[in-house]
Amino acid sequence: MISVASQFSEVPGPRLIEEGAFSGEAFLDQQLRPAFLAAESDGATLMIDLDGTQGYATSFLEQAFGGLSREFGSTRVLKVLRFKSDEEPYLVEEITGYIGGADE
Amino acid sequence: MRFLQYGATLVLGLVIGFATGYFGRLLFTIELKKELGLGDLLNFAAVVIFAFLLQNYLQKHFSDSRVEKDHLIGIIGQAQDTISQIRKDFFDAFSKKKLSAEYKAAVVIHFRNLSNSLDLLRAALGQCGYEAEADKCAELQSLYVEYKRQITGGSFPTGPYGSDVLSDAEKTANKLYLELTNKRIRVNKT
């Protein structure tokens, strides 16, 4: 499992590393991609806990999850990733949309 | 003023009642029995009990319906207030040509609140029996995603907003606000 708040930042940042701290690009490089590949090779799922942060900009979400989908394809990504978002339930649908939209 | 209205209504009622009684007596004469049987008493009791139960049932039903509508309208109002707040903060950031850390934190929290209001509205519409309206909430959520993308997508929060963002974001905010207003009207009317 990855808890964004405790393992990355309570204040997710901008899109790219060059734009500022705790970016979507940094999250993808440091946390998401390695954990995704590890879970996939183990035949497991990867839970992403989205709670505990101040909120997510579209730029961050699109870069992190859309970026993962552009790299590996939405089918592979959706097969492995699972989401927990009690504080903002619709966030899961939103992220799933970015993952699916990356194929277009 | 209200006292005068009540008084006028009462007087009008009395006049109509007396007139009906007077002219009714002239037109019709019915021979009534001057005795009261057990059947008459039971009949009267049944009418009174039925009237009492029916009145209570109808009052509760209409009262529950009004409470549900007010609850739904309240949630819609919350969502619209959040949109107004986002617009206000966005205009401020646009005019200053700078996205401060405070603005970035605030706008992301506003969008979370808006998302949760729309989610709550969808659930509440279903629970209150407005399934058709609940199904139409997908349109609201599409507009929400589009609005959020326009305000917090791109190079947010580093770059200042361009005038194209202002134009697109305003159009989407208007559509979302109007769609919520239409939903409020439809809920109130049914």
Side-chain angles (χ1 to χ4, degrees):
Chain A
M1 182 172 96
I2 298 176
S3 164
V4 179
S6 57
Q7 292 173 252
F8 184 69
S9 174
E10 288 181 5
V11 192
R15 181 183 290 271
L16 302 172
I17 292 171
E18 68 203 36
E19 290 173 344
F22 307 118
S23 64
E25 187 182 10
F27 177 66
L28 174 60
D29 290 346
Q30 293 165 19
Q31 302 275 344
L32 188 56
R33 187 191 293 111
F36 166 77
L37 290 171
E40 195 186 37
S41 71
D42 289 342
T45 56
L46 174 64
M47 176 64 76
I48 312 291
D49 182 353
L50 298 160
D51 290 329
T53 70
Q54 286 188 13
Y56 299 88
T58 297
S59 53
F60 179 94
L61 296 172
E62 210 286 322
Q63 184 63 29
F65 297 100
L68 188 71
S69 179
R70 279 188 287 278
E71 200 172 332
F72 299 104
S74 61
T75 308
R76 270 177 79 181
V77 169
L78 290 171
K79 201 172 162 190
V80 174
L81 294 191
R82 298 289 179 271
F83 299 96
K84 175 183 174 289
S85 181
D86 296 332
E87 291 168 4
E88 190 179 343
Y90 188 69
L91 192 55
V92 176
E93 249 179 273
E94 193 183 331
I95 291 172
T96 308
Y98 297 136
I99 292 171
D103 284 342
E104 292 162 15
Chain B
M1 183 65 187
R2 198 170 272 190
F3 177 75
L4 283 174
Q5 282 176 339
Y6 286 150
T9 309
L10 179 63
V11 167
L12 183 63
L14 285 170
V15 166
I16 292 172
F18 277 121
T20 307
Y22 177 76
F23 288 109
R25 207 171 34 249
L26 289 180
L27 293 170
F28 302 104
T29 303
I30 299 171
E31 197 69 36
L32 295 174
K33 283 196 298 187
K34 291 178 188 173
E35 56 190 25
L36 200 59
L38 180 60
D40 298 323
L41 283 173
L42 289 173
N43 193 28
F44 177 71
V47 166
V48 168
I49 291 168
F50 181 72
F52 179 73
L53 289 173
L54 182 65
Q55 184 243 339
N56 269 348
Y57 169 77
L58 288 174
Q59 190 176 16
K60 187 175 185 313
H61 174 75
F62 287 123
S63 172
D64 286 351
S65 178
R66 187 67 252 166
V67 164
E68 286 169 2
K69 284 182 187 181
D70 288 345
H71 176 59
L72 292 168
I73 288 167
I75 297 171
I76 292 171
Q78 261 177 30
Q80 289 181 314
D81 286 345
T82 306
I83 294 169
S84 297
Q85 191 61 54
I86 293 170
R87 285 168 113 164
K88 179 178 172 298
D89 288 356
F90 169 73
F91 277 136
D92 196 47
F94 175 79
S95 63
K96 287 179 179 165
K97 297 192 188 330
K98 185 186 162 189
L99 308 189
S100 65
E102 292 77 22
Y103 166 74
K104 179 243 170 181
V107 84
V108 167
I109 289 170
H110 289 328
F111 271 110
R112 168 183 285 177
N113 289 342
L114 180 56
S115 170
N116 286 342
S117 291
L118 296 179
D119 211 40
L120 180 61
L121 178 61
R122 178 172 60 172
L125 283 166
Q127 284 167 352
C128 295
Y130 294 87
E131 283 84 9
E133 287 297 334
D135 291 342
K136 286 181 199 165
C137 282
E139 167 67 14
L140 285 176
Q141 276 158 330
S142 280
L143 287 170
Y144 158 79
V145 170
E146 180 63 15
Y147 191 33
K148 186 181 173 186
R149 187 191 61 75
Q150 285 160 348
I151 302 277
T152 71
S155 62
F156 176 89
T158 50
Y161 291 116
S163 52
D164 54 330
V165 177
L166 175 64
S167 169
D168 290 344
E170 265 304 279
K171 283 180 198 165
T172 309
N174 280 341
K175 273 191 213 169
L176 188 48
Y177 200 96
L178 182 60
E179 193 46 48
L180 285 165
T181 299
N182 290 340
K183 205 171 272 298
R184 180 202 296 250
I185 292 168
R186 287 195 299 267
V187 161
N188 196 48
K189 270 188 180 172
T190 51

